[in-house]
Amino acid sequence: MTLVRWQPREALRLRREIDELARTFWGDWGNDNGSEAAWHPRVDVSEAEDGFTVNAELPGVSREDVKVSLEDRVLTIEGEKRNASEEAEKGAYRTERTYGRFHRSFKLSSEVDVDKISAVHKDGVLTLSLPKAEAARPKEIEVKVA
C-alpha cells in the first residue's frame, strides 16, 4: 500500500475549478436574491515581515470601475466588468468571457494599520498594500551580558 500525502491546497483548487465549471454551464445559479456577484476575480494574498499584499486579477476592468472600501475592518473590492463589444448584439457564436458586477471582502486582523492601506491598478491587476502596525512587527531584542 502506498501512502499519499494529503495536499489541502489541491482540494481547494479542485473545488474552485468545479465551481467555475458549474458557473460556465448554469451561470450564478446559487444566487437567488441577486446579492452575490456574477463572477469573482482571482485573488492572491501574501504576507511579508512589514505587511500583507493582495493582488486581484481584474482583466478588462478600468480603474474607474473599481472601488476599494474599508468598514469595520472589512476590506471590500467591488466594481463592474463591462461588455463594450457590439458583437454581442450581432449574435455571438461563442461567449466565454464573464461580465458583470463583482465583489470580494476580507476581514482584516488587528495587525493591519488601516490608515496606511494603499491601492494601485496596473495592467489588469489591482495591488493592495496592507502595512502592519508597528506593534505587530517582529522585533529583535538584544541580549546583554550581565
Side-chain angles (χ1 to χ4, degrees):
M1 180 168 116
T2 304
L3 293 177
V4 178
R5 185 174 167 200
W6 181 60
Q7 298 288 341
R9 193 177 298 171
E10 294 297 317
L12 292 174
R13 188 181 73 188
L14 178 61
R15 179 177 177 189
R16 282 194 303 267
E17 289 174 0
I18 291 171
D19 288 347
E20 186 66 32
L21 182 62
R23 276 193 296 276
T24 300
F25 285 109
W26 295 291
D28 197 14
W29 57 275
N31 181 9
D32 295 332
N33 61 7
S35 64
E36 292 184 1
W39 68 284
H40 304 284
R42 306 241 184 221
V43 175
D44 292 336
V45 179
S46 59
E47 180 179 9
E49 188 174 305
D50 60 342
F52 301 90
T53 302
V54 177
N55 289 309
E57 288 184 342
L58 301 175
V61 179
S62 68
R63 185 191 62 78
E64 294 80 20
D65 290 330
V66 177
K67 177 183 171 189
V68 179
S69 60
L70 179 69
E71 185 176 342
D72 296 329
R73 299 198 73 80
V74 176
L75 181 72
T76 301
I77 304 167
E78 60 185 318
E80 184 172 3
K81 184 175 179 184
R82 302 177 192 274
N83 184 355
S85 173
E86 294 181 10
E87 296 298 318
E89 296 175 11
K90 296 179 182 178
Y93 286 104
R94 184 175 182 95
T95 302
E96 293 182 352
R97 296 183 298 163
T98 306
Y99 300 96
R101 297 205 49 77
F102 62 88
H103 73 270
R104 297 290 305 263
S105 294
F106 305 91
K107 178 76 173 165
L108 301 182
S109 72
S110 59
E111 290 181 276
V112 176
D113 186 348
V114 295
D115 295 326
K116 294 183 181 177
I117 295 174
S118 63
V120 176
H121 185 271
K122 182 180 178 186
D123 298 331
V125 177
L126 175 67
T127 301
L128 301 171
S129 297
L130 312 166
K132 289 182 181 177
E134 281 297 322
R137 293 185 187 176
K139 294 178 184 173
E140 189 171 315
I141 299 171
E142 180 183 352
V143 177
K144 297 177 183 178
V145 176

